Amino acid sequence: MTEKVRVGVIGTGMIGQDHTRRIQQVLTGAKVVALNDYAPDAAEKVRASLAPEAQVFEGAEDLIASDNVDAVLVCSTGSTHEAFVLGAIAAGKPCFCEKPLATTAVGAKRIVDAEVAHGSRLVQVGFMRRYDPGYIALKEVVDSEIGQPLMVHAAHRNQTVPAQYVTPMAIHDTLIHEIDVFRWLLNDDYVSAQVIFPRATSKKHANLKDPQIVLLETSKGIRIDVEVFVNCQYGYDIQCQVVGEEGLAYLPEPMSITKRKNATLQNTILTDWKDRFIASYDFELQDFIKAASNGTAAGPSSWDGYVAAITSDACVKAQESGAIVPISLPDRPALYN
Ligand code: NAP
């Protein structure tokens, strides 16, 4: 197919605008032809500034059904994702869904079932870290150079979070990216989760326990500890060290000029997550466009979204109980092998 994939974007908030810009100005092979938002004014503004030829739809369902739309981008609020992804599958259209695939594991399972019934992949979930050049380089080393992985030590630190950020969001909104990327990095699935709360920072909000340490165990016995510290003050910092039986491998730091000045050695640390993974957003959507031009989907699948939802639920239970919570997965449908 040489014609551009005609994309409809549902949800024109922060990430919906950014993906629209990406498709219109950075990527090849697609154009945004349709926009929808809960607030039509918001969609209209994005149309005027980024996609003047697009049609603004009042209802997301009408956008999905439109004969002018080949593929759908779901960028609306998380609680709306399941219905829109199911709608896209029913229409037989490739669908890129921002995380989370659904807000419950049961909801994510409904999407897996619908896609399996359809018989071929249509859904890509926005787990963009799998497209990050640093994680890709780390995976190459983990797969071939350090022997069998034994442990992972990781950290996800945000400078600050708003007051409405509460304890479970450390899992659903923040750790969710580690949950997905470590399965991919280690070619393994989780069997248990535990959450430990160290001394709390005085910078935390009333309904947030911060920091947290999440302990995951995989089916091969690999132990993963992830520090989630979302008011760390100093920057946005993603760390990952894989310990293998023959060596260690570290996730590379983002590029930064080292300065020697006034008797100090300095590197800048990023503060905005958008800057940290900017390249991977481009690569994930380009991959989606390529697959969508053939009527299918690539990259992180509905199954990956479902497993992430099951694991998140276990981590939240572990936050609440302090216990080690077992994680068991149903058999993986052949579609996702
Ligand atoms: P946002 O700025 O709040 O944008 C969401 C938009 O969806 C808002 O304009 C909202 O309208 C609209 N919306 C809500 N319900 C809708 C419906 N039923 N139909 C159509 N539009 C609807 O949020 P965001 O930061 O862009 O996040 C959107 C999604 O992307 C979230 O699921 C988030 O977790 C995910 N995300 C992923 C990453 C990543 O790293 N992969 C990064 C950021 C966000 P109103 O404001 O009028 O409600």
Side-chain angles (χ1 to χ4, degrees):
M1 186 167 157
T2 51
E3 282 178 15
K4 289 188 171 186
V5 175
R6 298 169 303 171
V7 175
V9 179
I10 301 173
T12 57
M14 198 257 305
I15 201 94
Q17 283 177 47
D18 206 31
H19 285 333
T20 301
R21 174 197 59 78
R22 208 163 255 124
I23 292 172
Q24 296 294 92
Q25 299 177 358
V26 181
L27 308 181
T28 58
K31 60 182 175 183
V32 173
V33 299
L35 294 159
N36 160 262
D37 194 275
Y38 202 57
D41 289 359
E44 180 49 40
K45 269 191 197 152
V46 175
R47 187 200 65 73
S49 62
L50 289 170
E53 290 172 16
Q55 182 181 352
V56 171
F57 284 79
E58 286 214 357
E61 295 76 12
D62 298 333
L63 176 150
I64 293 168
S66 168
D67 287 341
N68 289 327
V69 170
D70 302 318
V72 178
L73 245 62
V74 177
C75 302
S76 46
T77 313
S79 57
T80 66
H81 292 183
E82 181 190 341
F84 297 149
V85 175
L86 286 172
I89 294 171
K93 296 185 181 181
C95 175
F96 176 92
C97 179
E98 265 307 338
K99 60 89 184 161
L101 179 60
T103 48
T104 63
V106 174
K109 174 74 163 47
R110 280 192 282 268
I111 291 173
V112 165
D113 290 344
E115 199 178 34
V116 168
H118 172 78
S120 65
R121 279 204 50 197
L122 285 175
V123 180
Q124 176 177 339
V125 182
F127 287 135
M128 77 294 173
R129 285 202 195 174
R130 296 185 186 205
Y131 291 89
D132 173 64
Y135 274 108
I136 291 171
L138 177 62
K139 182 164 174 56
E140 279 168 17
V141 172
V142 169
D143 281 345
S144 61
E145 291 187 45
I146 60 166
Q148 301 200 60
L150 310 174
M151 292 173 282
V152 176
H153 308 299
H156 188 143
R157 303 192 187 107
N158 292 60
Q159 196 169 25
T160 56
V161 289
Q164 61 268 31
Y165 187 107
V166 293
T167 300
M169 290 171 76
I171 306 297
H172 290 305
D173 281 19
T174 301
L175 184 79
I176 188 87
H177 286 295
E178 271 81 12
I179 287 175
D180 179 69
V181 86
F182 294 155
R183 287 181 61 235
W184 167 84
L185 186 64
L186 301 168
N187 303 309
D188 206 352
D189 273 314
Y190 307 114
V191 294
S192 75
Q194 185 182 8
V195 180
I196 290 169
F197 296 101
R199 181 184 186 185
T201 168
S202 62
K203 314 283 183 190
K204 74 181 179 58
H205 310 303
N207 297 312
L208 171 63
K209 291 184 178 174
D210 189 39
Q212 314 182 14
I213 299 170
V214 181
L215 303 170
L216 295 162
E217 183 182 6
T218 74
S219 68
K220 293 173 191 158
I222 301 169
R223 292 290 185 152
I224 302 167
D225 56 89
V226 194
E227 169 198 317
V228 181
F229 186 13
V230 293
N231 285 293
C232 82
Q233 307 297 307
Y234 71 82
Y236 181 71
D237 192 11
I238 300 299
Q239 296 289 326
C240 179
Q241 174 194 358
V242 183
V243 182
E245 54 192 359
E246 293 169 20
L248 306 189
Y250 291 84
L251 181 70
E253 295 284 346
M255 191 180 74
S256 154
I257 300 296
T258 302
K259 287 171 276 184
R260 289 163 197 263
K261 196 177 171 188
N262 296 335
T264 59
L265 193 60
Q266 298 175 337
N267 280 90
T268 304
I269 295 177
L270 295 173
T271 53
D272 189 337
W273 54 265
K274 283 195 247 42
D275 298 330
R276 174 66 180 83
F277 290 108
I278 191 158
S280 53
Y281 290 111
D282 291 349
F283 296 143
E284 69 170 355
L285 265 194
Q286 190 67 73
D287 205 26
F288 174 71
I289 291 166
K290 188 174 162 210
S293 71
N294 294 314
T296 185
S301 66
S302 298
W303 178 255
D304 298 316
Y306 176 41
V307 173
I310 292 173
T311 309
S312 294
D313 287 353
C315 290
V316 172
K317 261 192 202 162
Q319 281 181 328
E320 291 163 359
S321 67
I324 297 173
V325 175
I327 298 172
S328 67
L329 303 179
D331 290 338
R332 185 197 296 243
L335 181 63
Y336 304 107
N337 286 337

